[in-house]
Amino acid sequence: DKTTEVEAGWNQVGPFEASIAPSEVGQDPSGILESGTWFWWDPAQSRYVEMSELKPGQGYWVFATGSGTLDFSGGGSKQATAAAAAVSARSKGAASAREAPEEALTLQVTDRAGHSREVHLARQLTEKERGRWRRPPSGPGNTFAARFAGGFQAAEASGSSRQSGQPEGALFQVKGAEGRPALRLQTGKERLQGRSVRVVDAATGGDLLEVRLTPESPSVEVPAGAERLRLSVESVPEEVALQEPYPNPASGEVTLQYALPERRETTIKVYDVLGREVATLANGEKEAGRHRATLEASRLPSGTYFARMQAG
């Protein structure tokens, strides 16, 4: 049988009787396959490899945008073949599909066994651009994988307002690592243009890990229990700043945001109107970037209080 039914999402197809190019696979309805999503699991490399030829005796993953039928007899559909030819013509001399999205920052994720993956943080991605970085489900067993939510190797991670109360950045996970996995910023200082990558563990919101990757401090080892992370791209502040607390007035938790242009020893203390210290919100070395500290106002008597920050 040279036809196969597929459903929306990832599908396993093959093996085939003869070699065939992905562009020659017939699609009914036309265009149901997402371009650039033919993958084969290479056991020697322990990773997925994008295929330009489908060979006999092997199985492959392919992503479909809807249900339909695939024909592997080699004729293809007229519409699909014409579209593939047009894409091929435009691709000559163009950027590789593996090249990072425009203005994206690249991270390399490695473990002690030498496994390595590159992932990309972009300011903005169209649906088509996101599709280029879609990957099949994790490989067999507990194999090494480093991906954003949904199985993508690239994601939008421009950061969001911490005042919104919503989780910041793109959700990212490392699986199957031997030893502690490491993240390293690969993008050079010129392309960064004053940006940095903020890394926070998703489980505790920063209690296990909260760092900022910059050209001066480009790498970090991920501690046990922090394999699920949130990554965001943010600009590095130009000066020390302590912003207005919110909400204000408050009867519960109060948040104070502060900014550092470089790594510094930082303290934030709270005093009452008589100058007595009532709380310490930060005390120690902090990375360059934007941070926040919280005060539980419900533990204090009603009144007016002052926060004082000292950095360096």
Side-chain angles (χ1 to χ4, degrees), residues 6-29:
V6 293
E7 301 291 336
W10 285 105
N11 295 265
Q12 288 182 300
V13 298
F16 314 110
E17 296 179 359
S19 296
I20 183 174
S23 60
E24 295 177 328
V25 176
Q27 306 174 37
D28 184 20

Side-chain angles (χ1 to χ4, degrees), residues 35-55:
S35 177
T37 60
W38 284 99
F39 289 96
W40 172 65
W41 176 258
D42 184 348
Q45 299 186 59
S46 296
R47 66 192 305 160
Y48 285 106
V49 178
E50 189 175 346
M51 303 304 296
S52 58
E53 181 183 19
L54 310 180
K55 300 179 180 179

Side-chain angles (χ1 to χ4, degrees), residues 165 196 223 241 247 265 277 279 297:
S196 62
E265 286 287 336
E277 181 182 324

Side-chain angles (χ1 to χ4, degrees), residues 18-241:
S19 296
I20 183 174
S23 60
E24 295 177 328
V25 176
Q27 306 174 37
D28 184 20
S30 176
I32 60 170
L33 297 184
E34 189 168 75
S35 177
T37 60
W38 284 99
F39 289 96
W40 172 65
W41 176 258
D42 184 348
Q45 299 186 59
S46 296
R47 66 192 305 160
Y48 285 106
V49 178
E50 189 175 346
M51 303 304 296
S52 58
E53 181 183 19
L54 310 180
K55 300 179 180 179
Q58 294 182 353
Y60 300 92
W61 285 96
V62 66
F63 189 86
T65 56
S67 59
T69 303
L70 305 183
D71 183 352
F72 297 97
S73 60
S77 66
K78 291 183 179 180
Q79 297 95 329
T81 302
V87 169
S88 177
R90 288 196 301 270
S91 295
K92 291 180 179 179
S96 165
R98 297 174 184 268
E99 189 173 332
E102 186 176 358
E103 295 188 350
L105 306 187
T106 298
L107 292 173
Q108 185 180 46
V109 188
T110 58
D111 70 0
R112 293 182 182 175
H115 299 118
S116 178
R117 299 288 187 274
E118 280 192 350
V119 296
H120 309 285
L121 299 168
R123 287 176 174 170
Q124 188 174 7
L125 288 172
T126 65
E127 195 61 34
K128 185 176 181 180
E129 288 170 335
R130 288 182 77 244
R132 286 176 49 199
W133 297 97
R134 195 191 307 271
R135 295 296 180 264
S138 297
N142 191 33
T143 54
F144 181 76
R147 302 175 175 191
F148 294 102
F152 294 91
Q153 296 294 114
E156 291 184 5
S158 58
S160 59
S161 171
R162 302 194 185 187
Q163 196 163 347
S164 68
Q166 299 299 315
E168 297 173 71
L171 187 61
F172 178 75
Q173 186 167 15
V174 181
K175 294 182 178 179
E178 295 189 27
R180 295 174 61 179
L183 278 66
R184 185 174 184 85
L185 181 62
Q186 296 291 94
T187 306
K189 189 172 184 178
E190 290 186 2
R191 188 171 178 180
L192 279 171
Q193 297 177 339
R195 294 177 293 167
S196 62
V197 177
R198 182 170 175 264
V199 182
V200 177
D201 74 277
T204 66
D207 289 346
L208 291 176
L209 177 67
E210 181 174 4
V211 298
R212 185 170 301 276
L213 303 183
T214 65
E216 294 73 30
S217 181
S219 62
V220 62
E221 279 196 348
V222 178
E227 289 80 6
R228 293 179 73 250
L229 307 168
R230 286 198 177 272
L231 308 182
S232 57
V233 178
E234 298 178 356
S235 60
V236 178
E238 295 182 356
E239 58 184 18
V240 174

